[in-house]
Amino acid sequence: MRSLRVLRWLPFVVMFGVALTDVLAGRSLVFLPLLTLGPAFASVSGGVRRTAMVGAVALAICVPMAMHNGLLFTWENNLTVVSIAGVTAASMLAARLRLRRERELASVRQVAEAAQRVLLRPVPRRAGDLRVALSYTSAAAEAQIGGDLYEIVTTPHGVRLLIGDVQGKGLAAVETAAWVLGAFREAAYDQADLADIGERLEVSLARHLGPEQFVTAIIAEVRDDELTLVNFGHPPPLLVLAGGEPRTVEPPEAGLPLGLRVFGPGVPKAHRVPFHSGDRILFVTDGVIEARNATGDFYPLTERAGLLTRDDPQEALDALRADLVAHAGG
Protein backbone atom coordinates (compact mmCIF):
# COMPACT_ATOMS: atom_id res chain seq x y z
CA MET A 1 0.00 0.00 0.00
CA ARG A 2 2.83 2.40 0.78
CA SER A 3 4.48 1.84 -2.58
CA LEU A 4 1.12 2.41 -4.29
CA ARG A 5 0.73 5.77 -2.56
CA VAL A 6 4.24 6.71 -3.63
CA LEU A 7 3.45 5.86 -7.24
CA ARG A 8 0.25 7.90 -7.16
CA TRP A 9 2.07 11.03 -5.96
CA LEU A 10 5.22 10.49 -8.01
CA PRO A 11 3.98 12.25 -11.23
CA PHE A 12 3.16 15.44 -9.32
CA VAL A 13 6.42 15.38 -7.39
CA VAL A 14 8.38 14.94 -10.62
CA MET A 15 6.55 17.78 -12.41
CA PHE A 16 6.98 20.10 -9.43
CA GLY A 17 10.68 19.23 -9.35
CA VAL A 18 11.03 19.96 -13.07
CA ALA A 19 9.28 23.32 -12.71
CA LEU A 20 11.40 24.28 -9.70
CA THR A 21 14.61 23.25 -11.45
CA ASP A 22 13.63 25.24 -14.54
CA VAL A 23 13.02 28.38 -12.44
CA LEU A 24 16.28 28.03 -10.53
CA ALA A 25 18.31 27.34 -13.69
CA GLY A 26 17.24 30.60 -15.30
CA ARG A 27 16.45 31.23 -18.95
CA SER A 28 19.69 29.75 -20.24
CA LEU A 29 18.57 26.18 -19.56
CA VAL A 30 15.10 24.79 -20.36
CA PHE A 31 13.86 21.66 -18.55
CA LEU A 32 10.23 21.81 -19.65
CA PRO A 33 10.44 18.74 -21.97
CA LEU A 34 10.95 16.67 -18.80
CA LEU A 35 7.32 17.39 -17.86
CA THR A 36 6.45 14.42 -20.07
CA LEU A 37 7.63 12.24 -17.17
CA GLY A 38 4.43 13.18 -15.30
CA PRO A 39 1.91 11.37 -17.55
CA ALA A 40 4.44 8.59 -18.19
CA PHE A 41 4.66 7.82 -14.46
CA ALA A 42 0.89 8.25 -14.05
CA SER A 43 0.22 5.37 -16.44
CA VAL A 44 2.10 3.00 -14.13
CA SER A 45 -0.46 3.12 -11.31
CA GLY A 46 -3.38 5.27 -12.46
CA GLY A 47 -6.25 4.81 -14.84
CA VAL A 48 -6.96 6.50 -18.15
CA ARG A 49 -8.70 9.52 -16.61
CA ARG A 50 -5.99 10.08 -14.01
CA THR A 51 -3.30 9.89 -16.69
CA ALA A 52 -5.19 12.43 -18.80
CA MET A 53 -5.52 14.71 -15.77
CA VAL A 54 -1.78 14.52 -15.08
CA GLY A 55 -1.13 15.35 -18.74
CA ALA A 56 -3.40 18.38 -18.45
CA VAL A 57 -1.53 19.48 -15.32
CA ALA A 58 1.75 19.13 -17.23
CA LEU A 59 0.41 21.37 -19.99
CA ALA A 60 -0.89 23.82 -17.40
CA ILE A 61 2.60 24.04 -15.90
CA CYS A 62 4.32 24.22 -19.30
CA VAL A 63 2.50 27.30 -20.61
CA PRO A 64 3.21 29.75 -17.74
CA MET A 65 6.77 28.41 -17.42
CA ALA A 66 7.31 29.06 -21.13
CA MET A 67 5.96 32.60 -20.71
CA HIS A 68 8.34 33.08 -17.78
CA ASN A 69 11.23 32.05 -20.03
CA GLY A 70 9.98 34.21 -22.89
CA LEU A 71 9.58 31.19 -25.14
CA LEU A 72 5.81 30.89 -25.48
CA PHE A 73 5.52 30.74 -29.28
CA THR A 74 8.93 29.40 -30.21
CA TRP A 75 9.47 26.23 -32.17
CA GLU A 76 11.06 24.52 -29.16
CA ASN A 77 8.11 25.27 -26.90
CA ASN A 78 5.57 24.17 -29.50
CA LEU A 79 7.49 20.92 -29.77
CA THR A 80 7.39 20.53 -25.96
CA VAL A 81 3.60 20.99 -25.95
CA VAL A 82 3.20 18.43 -28.73
CA SER A 83 5.52 16.04 -26.85
CA ILE A 84 3.48 16.34 -23.65
CA ALA A 85 0.25 15.74 -25.57
CA GLY A 86 1.74 12.79 -27.44
CA VAL A 87 3.22 11.16 -24.33
CA THR A 88 -0.07 11.70 -22.50
CA ALA A 89 -2.02 9.96 -25.28
CA ALA A 90 0.45 7.06 -25.35
CA SER A 91 0.34 6.81 -21.56
CA MET A 92 -3.46 6.74 -21.61
CA LEU A 93 -3.32 3.82 -24.03
CA ALA A 94 -0.71 2.08 -21.85
CA ALA A 95 -2.88 2.60 -18.76
CA ARG A 96 -5.89 1.11 -20.51
CA LEU A 97 -3.92 -1.96 -21.62
CA ARG A 98 -2.47 -2.37 -18.13
CA LEU A 99 -5.90 -2.27 -16.53
CA ARG A 100 -7.15 -4.83 -19.04
CA ARG A 101 -4.24 -7.15 -18.20
CA GLU A 102 -4.86 -6.68 -14.48
CA ARG A 103 -8.50 -7.68 -14.92
CA GLU A 104 -7.46 -10.73 -16.94
CA LEU A 105 -4.88 -11.66 -14.29
CA ALA A 106 -7.49 -11.33 -11.54
CA SER A 107 -9.80 -13.63 -13.49
CA VAL A 108 -7.00 -16.18 -13.99
CA ARG A 109 -6.19 -16.07 -10.28
CA GLN A 110 -9.83 -16.76 -9.43
CA VAL A 111 -9.74 -19.79 -11.71
CA ALA A 112 -6.44 -20.91 -10.15
CA GLU A 113 -7.87 -20.57 -6.65
CA ALA A 114 -10.91 -22.61 -7.69
CA ALA A 115 -8.60 -25.25 -9.17
CA GLN A 116 -6.58 -25.27 -5.96
CA ARG A 117 -9.69 -25.89 -3.87
CA VAL A 118 -10.62 -28.82 -6.11
CA LEU A 119 -7.15 -30.29 -6.56
CA LEU A 120 -5.64 -29.57 -3.14
CA ARG A 121 -8.52 -29.45 -0.73
CA PRO A 122 -8.00 -27.97 2.74
CA VAL A 123 -7.04 -30.72 5.13
CA PRO A 124 -9.15 -31.19 8.28
CA ARG A 125 -7.65 -29.94 11.53
CA ARG A 126 -8.60 -33.29 13.02
CA ALA A 127 -8.61 -36.72 11.41
CA GLY A 128 -9.52 -39.55 13.74
CA ASP A 129 -7.30 -39.17 16.81
CA LEU A 130 -4.82 -36.98 14.93
CA ARG A 131 -4.36 -33.24 14.89
CA VAL A 132 -3.26 -32.06 11.45
CA ALA A 133 -1.47 -28.98 10.13
CA LEU A 134 -0.50 -27.96 6.61
CA SER A 135 1.74 -25.40 4.92
CA TYR A 136 1.96 -25.20 1.12
CA THR A 137 4.09 -22.78 -0.88
CA SER A 138 4.59 -23.10 -4.63
CA ALA A 139 8.11 -22.60 -5.94
CA ALA A 140 6.77 -20.53 -8.86
CA ALA A 141 6.27 -16.85 -8.08
CA GLU A 142 2.59 -15.87 -7.80
CA ALA A 143 1.51 -19.48 -8.35
CA GLN A 144 -1.19 -21.02 -6.17
CA ILE A 145 -0.43 -24.64 -6.98
CA GLY A 146 2.51 -26.58 -8.36
CA GLY A 147 3.79 -30.14 -8.68
CA ASP A 148 3.64 -30.98 -4.98
CA LEU A 149 0.56 -32.81 -3.74
CA TYR A 150 -1.03 -33.97 -0.52
CA GLU A 151 -4.19 -35.58 0.80
CA ILE A 152 -5.48 -36.99 4.07
CA VAL A 153 -8.61 -39.11 4.45
CA THR A 154 -10.26 -41.01 7.28
CA THR A 155 -11.19 -44.52 6.17
CA PRO A 156 -12.42 -47.73 7.87
CA HIS A 157 -8.79 -48.87 7.69
CA GLY A 158 -7.49 -45.86 9.62
CA VAL A 159 -6.31 -42.36 8.78
CA ARG A 160 -4.44 -42.44 5.48
CA LEU A 161 -2.37 -39.71 3.93
CA LEU A 162 -0.40 -39.06 0.79
CA ILE A 163 2.38 -36.59 0.09
CA GLY A 164 4.14 -36.44 -3.26
CA ASP A 165 6.24 -34.46 -5.66
CA VAL A 166 5.77 -34.64 -9.42
CA GLN A 167 8.88 -34.54 -11.58
CA GLY A 168 8.85 -31.39 -13.70
CA LYS A 169 7.09 -28.04 -13.44
CA GLY A 170 4.20 -26.14 -14.91
CA LEU A 171 0.77 -27.27 -16.02
CA ALA A 172 2.00 -30.75 -16.95
CA ALA A 173 3.07 -31.34 -13.34
CA VAL A 174 -0.26 -30.03 -12.05
CA GLU A 175 -2.12 -32.39 -14.40
CA THR A 176 -0.06 -35.36 -13.18
CA ALA A 177 -0.71 -34.34 -9.57
CA ALA A 178 -4.44 -34.38 -10.31
CA TRP A 179 -4.21 -37.95 -11.63
CA VAL A 180 -2.31 -39.12 -8.54
CA LEU A 181 -4.73 -37.47 -6.13
CA GLY A 182 -7.77 -38.86 -7.94
CA ALA A 183 -6.38 -42.39 -7.88
CA PHE A 184 -5.40 -42.13 -4.20
CA ARG A 185 -8.77 -40.76 -3.06
CA GLU A 186 -10.51 -43.72 -4.65
CA ALA A 187 -8.04 -46.42 -3.63
CA ALA A 188 -7.65 -45.22 -0.02
CA TYR A 189 -11.20 -46.31 0.75
CA ASP A 190 -11.23 -49.49 -1.32
CA GLN A 191 -7.88 -51.14 -0.57
CA ALA A 192 -7.09 -52.71 2.80
CA ASP A 193 -3.31 -52.73 2.26
CA LEU A 194 -1.09 -49.74 1.50
CA ALA A 195 0.86 -51.76 -1.07
CA ASP A 196 -2.38 -52.26 -3.01
CA ILE A 197 -2.94 -48.49 -3.00
CA GLY A 198 0.55 -48.07 -4.45
CA GLU A 199 -0.31 -50.64 -7.12
CA ARG A 200 -3.44 -48.69 -8.05
CA LEU A 201 -1.41 -45.50 -8.35
CA GLU A 202 1.13 -47.25 -10.56
CA VAL A 203 -1.58 -48.59 -12.87
CA SER A 204 -3.25 -45.19 -13.10
CA LEU A 205 -0.03 -43.34 -13.82
CA ALA A 206 1.09 -45.88 -16.40
CA ARG A 207 -1.69 -44.59 -18.65
CA HIS A 208 -0.70 -40.93 -18.31
CA LEU A 209 3.01 -40.54 -17.61
CA GLY A 210 5.65 -40.27 -20.30
CA PRO A 211 8.66 -42.62 -20.41
CA GLU A 212 10.86 -40.30 -18.32
CA GLN A 213 8.27 -38.95 -15.88
CA PHE A 214 7.86 -40.03 -12.29
CA VAL A 215 6.36 -39.04 -8.95
CA THR A 216 8.04 -39.42 -5.57
CA ALA A 217 5.51 -40.11 -2.84
CA ILE A 218 4.81 -41.50 0.62
CA ILE A 219 1.61 -43.31 1.51
CA ALA A 220 1.04 -43.55 5.25
CA GLU A 221 -1.56 -44.99 7.59
CA VAL A 222 -2.04 -44.30 11.29
CA ARG A 223 -3.88 -46.91 13.35
CA ASP A 224 -3.59 -48.39 16.85
CA ASP A 225 -0.49 -46.49 17.99
CA GLU A 226 1.35 -47.51 14.86
CA LEU A 227 2.41 -45.71 11.72
CA THR A 228 2.71 -47.67 8.48
CA LEU A 229 4.55 -46.13 5.53
CA VAL A 230 5.29 -47.03 1.94
CA ASN A 231 8.01 -44.77 0.51
CA PHE A 232 8.27 -44.31 -3.26
CA GLY A 233 11.65 -42.55 -3.39
CA HIS A 234 10.42 -39.55 -1.39
CA PRO A 235 12.36 -37.65 1.31
CA PRO A 236 11.74 -39.53 4.57
CA PRO A 237 9.55 -37.91 7.22
CA LEU A 238 10.81 -36.58 10.52
CA LEU A 239 9.39 -38.22 13.65
CA VAL A 240 9.48 -36.13 16.83
CA LEU A 241 8.77 -38.23 19.92
CA ALA A 242 6.69 -36.91 22.80
CA GLY A 243 9.90 -36.16 24.70
CA GLY A 244 11.21 -33.97 21.86
CA GLU A 245 13.71 -36.44 20.38
CA PRO A 246 13.76 -36.23 16.56
CA ARG A 247 14.64 -39.05 14.20
CA THR A 248 14.32 -39.56 10.49
CA VAL A 249 12.07 -42.44 9.45
CA GLU A 250 14.16 -44.08 6.75
CA PRO A 251 12.62 -46.98 4.81
CA PRO A 252 14.30 -50.38 5.33
CA GLU A 253 15.11 -50.50 1.63
CA ALA A 254 15.13 -47.89 -1.12
CA GLY A 255 12.03 -47.71 -3.28
CA LEU A 256 11.66 -46.31 -6.77
CA PRO A 257 9.31 -43.40 -7.49
CA LEU A 258 5.90 -44.03 -9.00
CA GLY A 259 6.16 -44.49 -12.74
CA LEU A 260 9.56 -46.24 -12.67
CA ARG A 261 8.42 -49.72 -11.66
CA VAL A 262 9.90 -51.21 -14.85
CA PHE A 263 13.34 -50.55 -13.35
CA GLY A 264 12.70 -52.24 -10.01
CA PRO A 265 11.09 -55.20 -8.24
CA GLY A 266 7.70 -53.51 -7.88
CA VAL A 267 5.91 -51.68 -5.07
CA PRO A 268 8.21 -50.95 -2.10
CA LYS A 269 7.56 -52.87 1.11
CA ALA A 270 5.63 -51.21 3.91
CA HIS A 271 7.43 -50.56 7.17
CA ARG A 272 6.00 -49.76 10.58
CA VAL A 273 7.08 -47.49 13.43
CA PRO A 274 5.44 -46.85 16.83
CA PHE A 275 3.38 -43.69 16.95
CA HIS A 276 2.03 -42.93 20.41
CA SER A 277 0.13 -40.07 21.99
CA GLY A 278 2.22 -36.90 21.94
CA ASP A 279 4.39 -38.01 19.03
CA ARG A 280 4.54 -35.85 15.92
CA ILE A 281 5.56 -36.61 12.38
CA LEU A 282 6.48 -34.10 9.71
CA PHE A 283 6.12 -34.93 6.01
CA VAL A 284 7.95 -32.62 3.59
CA THR A 285 8.89 -32.33 -0.05
CA ASP A 286 12.42 -31.69 -1.27
CA GLY A 287 11.87 -27.93 -1.34
CA VAL A 288 12.38 -27.97 2.43
CA ILE A 289 15.50 -30.08 2.76
CA GLU A 290 17.14 -28.56 -0.33
CA ALA A 291 16.60 -24.92 0.67
CA ARG A 292 19.98 -23.17 0.96
CA ASN A 293 21.18 -20.04 2.66
CA ALA A 294 23.55 -17.42 1.25
CA THR A 295 26.60 -19.63 1.93
CA GLY A 296 25.06 -22.69 0.25
CA ASP A 297 24.19 -24.63 3.41
CA PHE A 298 21.09 -26.82 3.28
CA TYR A 299 18.29 -26.24 5.76
CA PRO A 300 19.08 -28.28 8.93
CA LEU A 301 15.62 -29.76 9.41
CA THR A 302 16.55 -32.22 12.16
CA GLU A 303 18.29 -29.49 14.16
CA ARG A 304 15.18 -27.29 14.01
CA ALA A 305 12.82 -30.05 15.15
CA GLY A 306 12.39 -28.23 18.47
CA LEU A 307 10.10 -25.78 16.67
CA LEU A 308 7.60 -28.61 16.20
CA THR A 309 7.08 -29.19 19.92
CA ARG A 310 4.61 -26.34 20.33
CA ASP A 311 1.17 -27.36 21.55
CA ASP A 312 -0.75 -26.27 18.47
CA PRO A 313 0.44 -28.13 15.34
CA GLN A 314 -0.36 -25.28 12.96
CA GLU A 315 1.54 -22.76 15.08
CA ALA A 316 4.47 -25.17 15.19
CA LEU A 317 4.41 -25.61 11.41
CA ASP A 318 4.11 -21.87 10.82
CA ALA A 319 7.14 -21.30 13.05
CA LEU A 320 9.11 -23.89 11.10
CA ARG A 321 8.14 -22.30 7.80
CA ALA A 322 9.15 -18.84 9.04
CA ASP A 323 12.50 -20.26 10.10
CA LEU A 324 12.91 -21.91 6.68
CA VAL A 325 12.14 -18.64 4.87
CA ALA A 326 14.65 -16.81 7.06
CA HIS A 327 17.28 -19.48 6.32
CA ALA A 328 16.73 -19.11 2.57
CA GLY A 329 16.78 -15.33 2.71
CA GLY A 330 13.16 -14.93 1.70
Side-chain angles (χ1 to χ4, degrees):
M1 294 297 296
R2 183 178 180 181
S3 59
L4 183 59
R5 288 195 296 268
V6 171
L7 287 175
R8 291 183 66 85
W9 283 102
L10 183 60
F12 301 101
V13 173
V14 169
M15 290 188 296
F16 175 78
V18 169
L20 181 61
T21 303
D22 188 79
V23 171
L24 296 177
R27 298 184 178 184
S28 59
L29 295 175
V30 180
F31 292 88
L32 295 183
L34 293 179
L35 289 173
T36 55
L37 293 174
F41 285 135
S43 66
V44 175
S45 60
V48 176
R49 292 183 179 179
R50 181 179 176 82
T51 303
M53 180 193 69
V54 173
V57 172
L59 288 174
I61 294 176
C62 178
V63 172
M65 292 301 299
M67 294 177 62
H68 172 74
N69 294 331
L71 303 172
L72 181 59
F73 297 109
T74 64
W75 182 85
E76 292 83 357
N77 187 59
N78 292 337
L79 184 60
T80 299
V81 172
V82 172
S83 298
I84 294 175
V87 171
T88 299
S91 299
M92 292 169 62
L93 177 61
R96 181 175 181 179
L97 295 177
R98 177 182 56 80
L99 292 174
R100 178 185 299 176
R101 288 194 298 269
E102 288 178 354
R103 287 192 293 267
E104 292 174 351
L105 179 59
S107 177
V108 170
R109 284 181 174 174
Q110 289 179 350
V111 174
E113 290 172 359
Q116 183 185 31
R117 289 192 293 267
V118 174
L119 182 60
L120 298 175
R121 300 177 298 193
V123 299
R125 294 300 300 269
R126 282 193 173 272
D129 294 331
L130 301 180
R131 291 191 296 168
V132 185
L134 168 73
S135 179
Y136 188 101
T137 303
S138 175
E142 302 297 330
Q144 297 287 330
I145 54 179
D148 292 352
L149 56 98
Y150 61 84
E151 182 61 289
I152 181 168
V153 293
T154 303
T155 73
H157 311 288
V159 177
R160 289 177 167 178
L161 63 90
L162 167 73
I163 185 169
D165 185 5
V166 178
Q167 175 262 334
K169 303 293 182 182
L171 293 177
V174 175
E175 183 180 8
T176 302
W179 285 114
V180 175
L181 287 169
F184 173 77
R185 287 165 181 165
E186 181 179 354
Y189 289 96
D190 297 340
Q191 303 298 327
D193 190 75
L194 293 187
D196 294 333
I197 298 178
E199 183 68 27
R200 288 274 292 271
L201 296 182
E202 285 281 12
V203 172
S204 176
L205 288 175
R207 298 193 295 264
H208 307 291
L209 290 183
E212 297 181 357
Q213 292 180 300
F214 59 87
V215 180
T216 67
I218 294 179
I219 304 174
E221 176 185 284
V222 181
R223 183 173 59 177
D224 299 332
D225 291 335
E226 189 177 62
L227 182 67
T228 306
L229 304 102
V230 179
N231 192 321
F232 296 86
H234 195 78
L238 180 68
L239 177 64
V240 182
L241 301 180
E245 177 189 355
R247 65 185 183 93
T248 303
V249 185
E250 297 280 357
E253 57 184 51
L256 291 176
L258 295 167
L260 300 181
R261 62 182 302 175
V262 294
F263 302 106
V267 176
K269 294 181 180 180
H271 61 287
R272 295 173 173 83
V273 295
F275 192 65
H276 302 294
S277 177
D279 293 347
R280 301 193 175 195
I281 189 163
L282 174 71
F283 295 90
V284 300
T285 55
D286 57 5
V288 174
I289 59 176
E290 293 180 0
R292 300 181 185 230
N293 60 12
T295 60
D297 299 324
F298 290 110
Y299 183 68
L301 180 60
T302 304
E303 297 176 12
R304 308 298 171 85
L307 296 171
L308 298 173
T309 58
R310 300 189 181 190
D311 181 64
D312 183 80
Q314 190 62 55
E315 290 182 3
L317 195 58
D318 292 342
L320 184 71
R321 182 189 182 280
D323 185 67
L324 173 65
V325 172
H327 174 84

